[in-house]
Every structure is written in C-alpha cells, then in structure tokens.
Amino acid sequence: MAVSTSARFSLSSDSVEALRRQISGSVLLNNEDGFDAARTIWNAMIDRSPTLIVQPASTADVVAAVRFAAEQDLPIAVRGGGHNVAGLAICDDGLMIDLSRMRRVDVDPERKTARAQGGATWGDFDAATAAHGLATTGGAISTTGIGGLTLGGGLGNLMRSYGLACDNLLSCEVVTANGDVVTAGTAENPDLFWGLRGGGGNFGVVTMFEYRLHPVSQVLGGLLMFPIDRARDLIRLYRQVTASAPDALGAAFTVTHAPDGTPVCALAICYNGPIDEGERAIKPFRDFGTPIAGAVGPVPYTATQTMVDEAFPPGLQNYWRSHFLTDLTEEGMDILIDQFSRVSSPLAGILIEDLGGAVARVSPDATAFNFRDYTYNLAILGRWADPSQADAGIAWTRGVHEAMQPFAAGVYVNYLSVGEQADRVRAAYGEEKYARLVELKNRYDPTNRFPFNQNIAPSA
C-alpha cells in the first residue's frame, strides 16, 4: 500500500513504519499534524512539499533517515534554521531532514570551545556562550541557524575581530551520503573539513559543530538612522572610516526604511573592545549629525545579535542578489543611492558589509570560502509582503544587481537566492576551488544525494 505519493516518489506503509521504529524523533507524512508547520520556512516565496519529513532527535536518527533515503532513492534536503533566502531547506518530493529538535549547545569555558547541534540557532548559541562571557562570529539575526551560515562561510558582527564563523570551526560531526558518521577537523578528514568551511551542505548532514570561542561580553553597539537625503554623504563617510578602521569595529551601511515606511540611510555598529577606544573609532559617525532614530552605546554583545531581528521577520517574500565589491568607488556609490530611489517596496533595501580585518588575514587556500581580499559585500534585499508585488520586486532587485556588475567580483554563497544559475555557484568559489569541491563531492556524495543546496554537482 502506498502511503505517500508525489510526482516522483511513492513509499509503502511498511517502509515508513519501519523507519518510524528506528527514529526516536518524528516522521511526518503530508496528511499528518505538524507537516505544514515543518515545511514552512522564513522566505514566503518558497512553497514546497517533500514526500516526507524526518525530525531527528539524535545523530542515530539522522543516520537512519539518510540510509532510508538511499534505500528508497530519495534526494535529501536539510533544514537547520530555515533562513536561507533561496529556500534550500525544503524540497518538492524527496526527504527533508528537519534538525529543529537538535539544538543543544554545550560550552567548555576553560577550553573556550562550544559544541552545538546542527539545528541550533544563533540565538541558542549566543545565549549559551554569553553566560560565560564568550562568543564567536555568528549571524546577526538570532533566528538564523548556525549550520547553513557556518557552512557557507559565516559573515557576522565579530568577523573583523576573529574571522568568519567557518574560521572558528574546530571540527564537525558529519553523516555522509552512505550513512557513515565521520569527524572532520584538522587532524581527521582534513580535506572534508576544508570543504565544509564555505562549501555549504554538499557533503552530508552536519550534526555537531565545534567552535573556538573568544572573550566577549559588553560591546559598543547599536543603530543610527539618518534622513535619506544624507545617504550620499553617509556612504562616503562609511568608506572613509572603514578604510582604516581597527579590527574591533564591525560596521554595515544600509539604505532602507524605518518601521513607518520612511526611507532612511543607516549604520549598524558593533565595536568589540574597550568602550573609550570604540568611541574614538566611531567619532566621525557621531560627528555626522544627530540621528533621526536609534542610538549607539555600551550594550551586551547579545543585544547587537538581535537588534535587526524585527526588521527581518518570517513570512515576507524575499528575492536577493549579491556581489563582493572590488571597491566602493564614487560611481558605484552614486549608482546604489540612485537605484534605491526607484525601490518598489518599503520593505526592500541595500546593505553593504565591511569585511577586512581578521577575515583577510586567513590564507586564501585555508578554506573553501573565497574572495577574502575584497573588503565589501553588497546585498540587494528585495522584500515584499503581497505576492502581487513580486514582478516589480524582482525587476528592481535585478536592476540594481546588473547596474553594479562593473564593480563586482564573485558572490557570497549564503546570499545566492531564488533563480540563480549554476555559473553563480562557480562564481562563489572560482575555478580552482570549485574543481577541488567537485573532487570532494565525487568522494563523499557521488550520486548527489544532497542536491538541495548551492549545489556542487558531482562529475560522475
């Protein structure tokens, strides 16, 4: 008897019941309570329906799910936090492994390390490490999963101080495509460890991440919003300050909208160091004028990790494009401000993140993450609530993306969005690193059991 059917797959009741007997978590079919909630992710543009969903409670459950998928010839999608803008946590047909029950974070304050299960969010992680006055580079929206962000590289407020999230990885526990459990680190499976640091979810299900931690408690942080007619002056000041900023200063520039829909330009600031030194570093921003909203002051680090949460709620339609920038040129800055003046939705915006610092000091060959020698990352954030706005929102986002092509160099894999082509995945790594990633894919997932990611297709 077939209990779950789709355009491609039909599963017998006996096979599903056999899987349930192996799983201490949950197995959900599309007619069962909890299925629709489990397949709903952050980006409302994405509406997909797997053949079944497994919500493991342990690594052993993940092994059982992966082996079941191999037996049934089901492709696998993996959900951590479900924040990826391309919606890669969920698939039509296939098996979705939803790690949301595996969120434990254990901190060793003496060794300054943390072990976190693959379903943990940065809110989970930061709360656990902050209890010991420790932190590592992580996503700036607390509901983002640690897994997807880290595997794609991992930009964050502390990256100029300590490198990317993937630079702070010490090891990973991985369930590979054939159901084996392996450890990847500098001592064991170092080739796989290299690929996991930037290569995304191509090589298996990471069930445990071990991170290096750093002493972080109070920072100088917050948001400063200014009238949109000052955007050209503010972006030029941002370039000037970040060109010689100390590593402790994390700063992002954005043209966006205030909660009431008013267009604004803004700075997000996180200075990870003594407050008096931070005040000297941000003095040019203080001198820029009185902000129309927001404030920067001494706050717990965890406050900077949640300060934009309300601006990025679930349930909106999101269509993004991104570039690393070779530089913030005068022409490029003018183009960005001009393009924002044509924005199609009050929820859309443009973001520039300053890399450099410790990010640039990691050897270019140390990880799969690429383009460490570029200082700025550009994200064009097309967002809207009403699906009828999709055509206009997509057109605006693409228009900004095309206009900035003369200043572009590659792309951050975690910002690749709906509709991106395979050549953009190659652009995230460059030809040499991409070829090395294909070799790893051939070894660890030769049949592409894990295709729902920014996919590195095996050559077999």
Side-chain angles (χ1 to χ4, degrees):
M1 175 182 175
V3 297
S4 180
T5 60
S6 69
R8 295 176 57 199
F9 301 108
S10 177
L11 303 177
S12 71
S13 58
D14 288 346
S15 66
V16 174
E17 288 309 310
L19 177 63
R20 281 195 165 116
R21 288 193 294 271
Q22 297 178 67
I23 298 287
S24 57
S26 298
V27 177
L28 301 173
L29 297 171
N30 59 12
N31 60 349
E32 295 178 336
D33 291 345
F35 182 89
D36 281 339
R39 73 180 186 89
T40 301
I41 57 175
W42 179 77
N43 185 358
M45 281 191 80
I46 310 301
D47 183 14
R48 300 178 185 141
S49 186
T51 302
L52 78 166
I53 297 173
V54 175
Q55 296 177 314
S58 67
T59 297
D61 283 359
V62 175
V63 170
V66 170
R67 290 179 176 173
F68 177 85
E71 292 165 2
Q72 301 293 328
D73 197 23
L74 293 167
I76 298 172
V78 182
R79 174 176 182 162
H83 248 267
N84 176 265
V85 70
L88 300 174
I90 185 75
C91 58
D92 278 325
D93 308 322
L95 185 152
M96 172 181 165
I97 297 178
D98 172 12
L99 297 174
S100 59
R101 293 190 176 195
M102 298 176 62
R103 295 173 63 167
R104 181 170 173 174
V105 181
D106 294 316
V107 179
D108 185 333
E110 293 187 4
R111 293 181 60 235
K112 294 185 177 61
T113 61
R115 290 174 58 82
Q117 289 183 303
T121 66
W122 286 107
D124 300 327
F125 188 93
D126 291 336
T129 59
H132 304 279
L134 299 169
T136 200
T137 305
I141 302 172
S142 69
T143 51
T144 303
I146 65 167
L149 184 126
T150 300
L151 293 174
L155 310 188
N157 285 320
L158 298 178
M159 62 185 168
R160 286 177 51 81
S161 293
Y162 306 124
L164 304 169
C166 73
D167 298 331
N168 290 280
L169 267 185
L170 298 173
S171 67
C172 296
E173 178 186 80
V174 188
V175 179
T176 63
N178 60 5
D180 290 339
V181 180
V182 302
T183 297
T186 55
E188 298 179 80
N189 300 300
D191 56 343
L192 177 59
F193 188 51
W194 177 89
L196 291 170
R197 289 175 291 165
N202 275 282
F203 310 110
V205 185
V206 180
T207 50
M208 186 73 72
F209 294 83
E210 182 184 21
Y211 295 90
R212 179 186 303 108
L213 302 177
H214 310 271
V216 181
S217 53
Q218 188 183 65
V219 299
L220 182 66
L223 294 168
L224 297 175
M225 294 185 185
F226 298 93
I228 192 63
D229 60 9
R230 302 210 65 196
R232 280 182 168 78
D233 293 332
L234 185 60
I235 192 173
R236 283 167 172 77
L237 178 63
Y238 174 77
R239 181 182 64 172
Q240 176 185 331
V241 172
T242 55
S244 59
D247 291 355
L249 179 61
F253 167 87
T254 183
V255 277
T256 183
H257 296 82
D260 65 0
T262 303
V264 296
C265 55
L267 298 168
I269 292 170
C270 176
Y271 186 90
N272 172 43
I275 301 302
D276 57 342
E277 294 179 9
E279 285 291 353
R280 287 194 290 273
I282 70 166
K283 185 177 184 297
F285 297 145
R286 296 281 198 202
D287 293 343
F288 187 72
T290 302
I292 57 174
V296 171
V299 294
Y301 167 69
T302 51
T304 68
Q305 291 295 91
T306 60
M307 66 183 176
V308 297
D309 278 9
E310 291 185 2
F312 290 89
L316 296 177
Q317 298 212 340
N318 285 261
Y319 184 91
W320 295 11
R321 287 293 183 265
S322 176
H323 292 300
F324 288 116
L325 299 178
T326 54
D327 191 11
L328 270 177
T329 67
E330 289 290 322
E331 182 183 0
M333 290 187 287
D334 285 340
I335 288 173
L336 286 176
I337 303 308
D338 178 64
Q339 289 287 332
F340 181 73
S341 70
R342 308 173 195 180
V343 69
S344 62
S345 164
L347 297 169
I350 295 171
L351 172 70
I352 297 174
E353 297 167 293
D354 178 40
L355 281 73
V359 177
R361 288 195 293 274
V362 174
S363 169
D365 298 325
T367 68
F369 180 87
N370 211 14
F371 298 106
R372 291 180 180 274
D373 50 346
Y374 293 110
T375 307
Y376 298 104
N377 185 52
L378 167 68
I380 306 142
L381 313 179
R383 303 192 303 156
W384 53 90
D386 185 343
S388 68
Q389 297 177 307
D391 288 347
I394 291 170
W396 176 78
T397 306
R398 288 177 173 174
V400 183
H401 186 253
E402 288 299 318
M404 291 300 292
Q405 284 284 2
F407 318 101
V411 62
Y412 177 36
V413 70
N414 282 346
Y415 285 173
L416 288 172
S417 187
V418 178
E420 302 265 27
Q421 302 301 312
D423 62 334
R424 290 293 284 165
V425 179
R426 286 178 176 269
Y429 301 109
E431 290 302 319
E432 185 175 338
K433 285 190 175 182
Y434 187 83
R436 184 173 174 184
L437 288 167
V438 170
E439 291 178 4
L440 286 174
K441 187 73 169 181
N442 289 341
R443 193 181 319 166
Y444 289 98
D445 185 18
T447 64
N448 211 10
R449 184 68 56 200
F450 299 99
F452 303 110
N453 40 58
Q454 300 299 351
N455 196 235
I456 308 294
S459 59

